[in-house]
Amino acid sequence: MKIAVLGTGTVGRTIAAALAGLGHDVVIGTRDPQATLARTEPDVMGTAPFAQWHQSHGQVDVARFADAAAGADLVVNATNGVGSLAALTAAGAANLAGKVLVDIANPLDFRHGMPPVLNPVNTDSLGEEIQRTFPDIRVVKTLNTMNAALMVEPGRVAGGDHSVFVSGNDSDAKRDVAALLASLGHRDIIDLGDITTARGAEMILPIWLRLWGALGTADFNFKIAR
Ligand code: NAP
């Protein structure tokens, strides 16, 4: 499958590498490929410059958001939550129309310091904002509740015996995304319902962030015992 991964951070890189490893034709999207490849400093989180990652992942093309989305069968949103609507606008509604969008972004707002706050929250979610703004996209919120390494290698903890959620209005899109998740090794895939259920998935972040602090590692996930 031709997959566009929008986002050059840890999540975009991790997902792009894993999907390419599964044999998909993957392109990674960014605002300005030249500027992204020219960065030489780690970002605020200490993530190595993109070019360094790309040197060892040459099979993943790099393109502007619009060019990446235009040629894709399926699109992944791995952009910063504050910039997701801008990134998808740059990708272009026409380039995204009818496609499944795997939305991994969290609407974390760090402007008031740590811990970040969610915006929107409670009565709305980023997943819903994206679906409202781009009614022709088939948005499926998923994977946002775990760290990037676990997204593509669930077996890193508890033998992979933990849960991942999907939220979206389109049953066929959720089925396709569930198949993709299964190909990455996820076994307990819970369909929460329509895109309004993304509120709950995004509202896991405050407890996720506190667990990260308490446990001193991001290598953990939630298991829904039942
Ligand atoms: P990030 O630093 O949150 O996002 C980087 C990407 O966002 C870059 O591609 C950047 O574009 C784009 N971006 C930032 N501001 C933008 C704007 N104003 N307009 C358009 N694009 C913009 O990277 P990340 O840590 O990989 O996280 C990606 C998403 O996944 C986030 O929403 C995060 O909350 C979520 N998430 C992360 C993890 C994790 O383990 N890190 C886990 C679960 C969910 P350029 O390429 O042009 O710079």
Side-chain angles (χ1 to χ4, degrees):
M1 187 163 32
K2 287 188 170 180
I3 299 179
V5 178
L6 309 183
T8 56
T10 302
V11 176
R13 298 177 199 185
T14 306
I15 292 279
L19 293 176
L22 288 173
H24 296 288
D25 184 356
V26 181
V27 56
I28 202 162
T30 183
R31 283 171 285 194
D32 179 345
Q34 266 192 324
T36 300
L37 286 162
R39 288 175 198 149
T40 54
E41 299 297 323
D43 70 12
V44 286
M45 299 296 284
T47 309
F50 180 79
Q52 204 170 306
W53 174 86
H54 194 240
Q55 265 172 8
S56 51
H57 297 87
Q59 80 276 35
V60 175
D61 280 339
V62 190
R64 286 185 187 279
F65 285 136
D67 296 329
D73 304 315
L74 179 143
V75 180
V76 177
N77 176 30
T79 61
N80 191 282
V82 171
S84 286
L85 289 177
L88 293 168
T89 300
N95 291 328
L96 297 167
K99 295 179 183 172
V100 174
L101 180 80
V102 178
D103 175 30
I104 306 179
N106 283 308
L108 294 175
D109 183 348
F110 290 86
R111 281 175 299 187
H112 309 290
M114 290 294 278
V117 297
L118 287 165
N119 182 19
V121 70
N122 281 334
T123 54
D124 200 2
S125 61
L126 178 60
E128 288 166 270
E129 273 192 337
I130 293 172
Q131 187 63 84
R132 265 199 314 276
T133 309
F134 302 95
D136 295 333
I137 304 181
R138 300 150 75 206
V139 180
V140 180
K141 183 110 217 166
T142 192
L143 289 175
N144 65 303
T145 55
M146 67 192 77
N147 90 70
L150 273 180
M151 292 175 194
V152 303
E153 194 188 348
R156 290 170 66 90
V157 299
D161 184 23
H162 44 82
S163 310
V164 60
F165 309 109
V166 290
S167 302
N169 296 339
D170 187 309
S171 299
D172 291 342
K174 284 191 285 192
R175 188 202 54 221
D176 292 351
V177 172
L180 200 64
L181 293 171
S183 73
L184 290 168
H186 291 278
R187 304 202 298 268
D188 189 26
I189 302 164
I190 302 178
D191 183 347
L192 294 176
D194 69 19
I195 194 64
T196 65
T197 65
R199 295 174 198 175
E202 293 177 7
M203 285 194 283
I204 285 177
L205 262 292
I207 184 66
W208 189 95
L209 288 163
R210 295 300 187 158
L211 282 164
W212 185 25
L215 300 174
T217 175
D219 247 349
F220 64 87
N221 195 16
F222 301 95
K223 165 67 185 171
I224 306 306
R226 62 223 193 258

